[in-house]
Amino acid sequence: MWCDGRVNEDVARPAAGASTTADVGRLGGFAVELAEGAAEVVRRGADRALATTSKSTSTDLVTEVDRASERWLVDRIRERRPDDAVLGEEGGERPGSSGVRWLVDPIDGTVNFVLGIPAYAVSVAAEIDGEVVAAAVCNPVTGEVFRATRGSGAWLGEQRLHGPRAVPLERAVVGTGFGYDRERRDRQGRVAARLLPLVADLRRIGSAALDLCAVASGRLDAYFEAGLNEWDYAAGALIAAEAGCVVTGLRGRRPGDGIVAAGGPALARDFFDLLERLGADEVL
Ligand code: IPD
């Protein structure tokens, strides 16, 4: 599914679970509260960032602060909205009966957190009946909060976001990221090497949530990454789409079905065609 500013009219209408704009607005307000609150937990734990263990591979890190942040998020959701489902990166999964599901990443960019590189974020998204309708991404270091609700635009504080400038591919600064599995990284690296001479430059910032917010706010012209998990991109994808960007998978697929690719409307078609030619979605 293509996801861009044009879908806004559809989502302003009540969805299957009879959600209203007011419901979506309430979810949006709570998403911001959750992201800011968990960011405070992360800020307070910054001196414990070195206590790491690994997950899928030896380089896929988790700290006790990731776990504390997720616990805080899940507890708050349980208190305030006991019937909602939750899916969290660190195993916080809970079924629900309300039709609302929260996708939370307690620290997106854990490696940056461990190293003290100020590019990591708490990412919170709310879905109604499988469609993301509200999102907030908070960087605990800068205090920036990116937010969006479906149909109401994307915001950084009081500033409305309008996506990146209109530049041709050869002038575009493109963000990307790499998974933790070595063989996948090898294939992703080859795609990046072929892309590099065709664009102005590449950035590997280290937080998919912030990458997508960077496209929303024009700090990056475009972004792609294969193999992301839902909690990495759910919030950032809505924020980029609500800023007027095109957020998609490739070859007609939904964002997250293999790859997430995002860019401003002026660049999107050329960028996605190029990614398809390079097989950016064939690295998994
Ligand atoms: C990671 C970051 C990174 C991306 C990886 C993700 P984590 O999330 O978003 O930028 O390249 O694919 O797994 O592990 O720090 O939550």
Side-chain angles (χ1 to χ4, degrees), residues 60 89 105 107-110 177-178 180 204 206-208 225 228 232:
D60 181 6
E89 178 176 17
D105 191 338
I107 303 181
D108 183 57
T110 301
F178 307 107
Y180 292 109
R204 196 291 193 245
S207 162
E225 182 167 350
L228 288 171
D232 295 317

Side-chain angles (χ1 to χ4, degrees), residues 125-147:
E127 281 177 350
I128 299 181
D129 297 327
E131 182 181 29
V132 178
V133 297
V137 172
C138 179
N139 178 331
V141 183
T142 63
E144 286 182 321
V145 184
F146 298 86
R147 68 182 195 280

Side-chain angles (χ1 to χ4, degrees), residues 28-246:
F30 190 34
V32 169
E33 217 180 299
L34 288 168
E36 287 183 330
E40 183 53 35
V41 173
V42 173
R43 245 189 314 268
R44 285 200 306 262
D47 56 338
R48 283 177 288 134
L50 289 177
T52 62
T53 48
S54 53
K55 299 188 289 182
S56 62
T57 72
S58 60
T59 51
D60 181 6
L61 303 181
V62 59
T63 71
E64 60 179 87
V65 186
D66 294 69
R67 295 204 178 95
S69 168
E70 182 158 313
R71 251 191 330 269
W72 188 91
L73 288 164
V74 173
D75 287 352
R76 292 298 82 66
I77 296 168
R78 189 182 295 135
E79 274 167 25
R80 292 268 293 277
R81 301 187 54 97
D83 299 330
D84 292 357
V86 185
L87 177 66
E89 178 176 17
E90 309 309 340
E93 188 166 7
R94 198 162 63 84
S97 55
S98 65
V100 173
R101 183 171 74 141
W102 294 89
L103 296 154
V104 302
D105 191 338
I107 303 181
D108 183 57
T110 301
V111 174
N112 285 344
F113 175 63
V114 170
L115 294 173
I117 298 170
Y120 50 89
V122 177
S123 174
V124 176
E127 281 177 350
I128 299 181
D129 297 327
E131 182 181 29
V132 178
V133 297
V137 172
C138 179
N139 178 331
V141 183
T142 63
E144 286 182 321
V145 184
F146 298 86
R147 68 182 195 280
T149 50
R150 213 166 254 279
S152 302
W155 302 80
L156 168 56
E158 295 313 305
Q159 183 197 342
R160 188 160 187 167
L161 302 178
H162 296 289
R165 59 202 177 142
V167 285
L169 262 183
E170 61 272 20
R171 287 185 42 216
V173 177
V174 176
T176 191
F178 307 107
Y180 292 109
D181 173 77
R182 278 182 194 285
E183 283 160 22
R184 180 183 297 178
R185 291 168 74 78
D186 181 45
R187 292 188 285 274
Q188 287 177 312
R190 286 168 207 266
V191 171
R194 290 179 62 203
L195 181 63
L196 189 54
L198 304 175
V199 296
D201 212 341
L202 290 181
R203 293 286 181 274
R204 196 291 193 245
I205 291 170
S207 162
L210 289 179
D211 287 324
L212 285 158
C213 292
V215 179
S217 57
R219 295 174 185 172
L220 286 175
D221 295 308
Y223 166 73
F224 74 103
E225 182 167 350
L228 288 171
N229 291 299
E230 275 181 293
W231 50 74
D232 295 317
Y233 69 83
L238 179 66
I239 291 165
E242 284 294 326
C245 300
V246 188

